[in-house]
Amino acid sequence: MKEEDIRPQAIFDEYLQLAKEDAITYFATAERESSNCPACGALGEFSFDKNGFTYEVCNNCLTLYVNPRPAVSAFLKYYTESPSSKFWATTFYKETAEARRDRLWKPKASAIHEIVLRYFKDSEIPTIVDIGGGYGIFAEEMRKLIPVSPVVIEPGPSLAEICRQKGLPVIEKFLEELAKSDLPQGAKVFSSFELFEHLHDPERFLRCLNGLMSGGDVFVFTTLSGMGIDIQVLWENSKSVMPPHHLNFFNPESIKVLLSRTGFDVLEIETPGKLDLDILLNSRLSIKDRFWRNFLETASDAERANWQQFISSSGRSSHMRVVCQKPLN
Ligand SMILES: [Zn+2]
């Protein structure tokens, strides 16, 4: 898989340009609040400013995060009415939907299916609850694999409607507004993909989720690792470091700290990413490090593929997948 397949460069750059303008329009005058590291609570240190947002790195666990953080009301306004949000939901999505289904959602669905087989008995088929289900493509793929219909939690009215048209049960709320009685009974696997890096308050999100889960339920999520190789090398020039969208970059160690503080047992943390070196290759003109520039100029496709394999298997990709569980008691 190549970055171009799921994020065609021209259209992605247009989106980033809109997001950059929106970061000023919606946040320049927003009230901001300071806090410590969202993973471990230690103090952070200034790293860089980007599009009017300040990023800090935790001295203790190396989490990269926006601090101070604009008020949540500014984000709600931004996500409901900004030009870049609209561009993402319409133009960007339309152009890439089928490529993303095949290259992202089908593999994600089969990975979740394997996780279900690992942690649940045959007699106990869990309901998949997809938080921030968007267009419902993951849920559609999931229902081909598991005989219990997935449930989508999607607060956006137009996205929720698209899911309903696909015959998916939808709860049109933010996770933080949900009650346990909104959800089907029985064992559950909650999932969220590429959501965690956007969360205004990850600790609150996890505590709310924990309150909705029963002992033995599983939560699987993917997010960006700030210790991932493309982010480490490109740093403030990384297109993944994109305010106002991406506020939290945990890493395989720091996410454990946050999960154990919020009542979860960690079952698996992996970085199954495939794109780090392709992203670096596409952004090589903004790489300062001589080794990486020369490596990318000279490595063959096969050599890059070998390195990518090693980066993923050693936990150094920026695409991180976490499987955790609410303990039985
Ligand atoms: Zn920390």
Side-chain angles (χ1 to χ4, degrees):
M1 179 167 66
K2 299 263 192 236
E3 187 185 19
E4 185 70 18
D5 298 331
I6 54 162
R7 284 194 291 263
Q9 198 150 343
I11 182 169
F12 191 51
D13 284 346
E14 190 179 346
Y15 167 69
L16 290 179
Q17 183 55 36
L18 287 172
K20 191 174 172 180
E21 290 161 17
D22 287 345
I24 308 295
T25 315
Y26 289 85
F27 298 96
T29 59
E31 260 180 59
R32 282 171 156 74
E33 208 173 288
S34 288
S35 61
N36 289 359
C37 169
C40 76
L43 269 180
E45 198 167 285
F46 174 83
S47 186
F48 56 86
D49 283 320
K50 188 166 184 180
N51 303 350
F53 285 67
T54 298
Y55 284 82
E56 293 189 353
V57 177
C58 173
N59 288 320
N60 179 48
C61 73
L62 300 178
T63 295
L64 172 69
Y65 61 102
V66 166
N67 190 42
R69 216 161 260 213
V72 75
S73 55
F75 286 94
L76 287 177
K77 198 167 150 69
Y78 168 77
Y79 278 113
T80 45
E81 59 179 56
S82 71
S84 63
S85 295
K86 290 202 177 109
F87 183 85
W88 179 265
T90 56
T91 313
F92 185 89
Y93 171 76
K94 255 186 237 147
E95 301 267 338
T96 60
E98 285 315 305
R100 292 169 85 85
R101 178 189 294 275
D102 284 343
R103 292 172 198 275
L104 297 180
W105 295 116
K106 283 186 180 170
K108 278 190 166 90
S110 63
I112 300 297
H113 187 216
E114 282 168 27
I115 288 165
V116 167
L117 296 176
R118 260 201 299 286
Y119 296 106
F120 293 85
K121 294 187 217 92
D122 289 349
S123 56
E124 184 191 33
I125 300 167
T127 304
I128 309 292
V129 181
D130 191 34
I131 306 163
Y135 291 85
I137 300 180
F138 167 72
E140 280 183 289
E141 292 303 320
M142 210 62 243
R143 82 181 157 188
K144 295 177 189 165
L145 301 173
I146 291 187
V148 176
S149 177
V151 172
V152 173
I153 299 176
E154 175 49 60
S158 51
L159 292 173
E161 182 53 32
I162 289 170
C163 291
R164 277 192 287 268
Q165 282 169 8
K166 291 177 172 178
L168 294 163
V170 184
I171 304 172
E172 196 178 315
K173 289 181 181 175
F174 283 99
L175 181 89
E176 291 85 344
E177 303 167 335
L178 243 66
K180 212 168 176 174
S181 55
D182 290 326
L183 296 165
Q185 292 189 328
K188 284 179 270 298
V189 172
F190 293 79
S191 59
S192 86
F193 300 104
E194 281 74 62
L195 174 74
F196 217 75
E197 59 271 28
H198 296 253
L199 294 174
H200 193 267
D201 188 342
E203 178 172 343
R204 176 159 179 261
F205 176 91
L206 287 174
R207 290 193 190 282
C208 289
L209 176 60
N210 198 281
L212 296 169
M213 293 170 84
S214 303
D217 285 352
V218 165
F219 175 42
V220 186
F221 63 102
T222 57
T223 187
L224 291 163
S225 165
M227 289 294 283
I229 204 146
D230 61 306
I231 293 177
Q232 285 284 310
V233 172
L234 293 164
W235 208 231
E236 70 265 40
N237 294 320
S238 165
K239 291 180 185 177
S240 294
V241 179
M242 177 177 56
H245 291 267
H246 296 166
L247 308 176
N248 319 296
F249 297 81
F250 294 94
N251 58 59
E253 287 307 312
S254 73
I255 195 69
K256 277 188 211 163
V257 176
L258 178 60
L259 287 166
S260 79
R261 280 203 297 124
T262 49
F264 291 88
D265 286 345
V266 173
L267 302 175
E268 302 173 15
I269 298 183
E270 286 175 42
T271 63
K274 295 186 165 63
L275 292 179
D276 305 70
L277 291 183
D278 195 48
I279 291 169
L280 283 180
L281 186 66
N282 293 339
S283 298
R284 63 190 176 280
L285 297 180
S286 48
I287 297 176
K288 297 183 190 91
D289 183 85
R290 183 192 299 126
F291 168 77
W292 283 110
R293 279 189 77 129
N294 289 339
F295 172 81
L296 292 160
E297 290 295 341
T298 56
S300 66
D301 288 353
E303 190 180 3
R304 275 204 314 279
N306 272 335
W307 279 56
Q308 181 63 51
Q309 181 64 38
F310 176 65
I311 288 164
S312 299
S313 64
S314 53
R316 299 288 174 174
S317 165
S318 60
H319 176 69
M320 174 163 72
R321 187 181 71 211
V322 180
V323 184
C324 58
Q325 188 168 41
K326 178 163 175 165
L328 279 168
N329 43 41

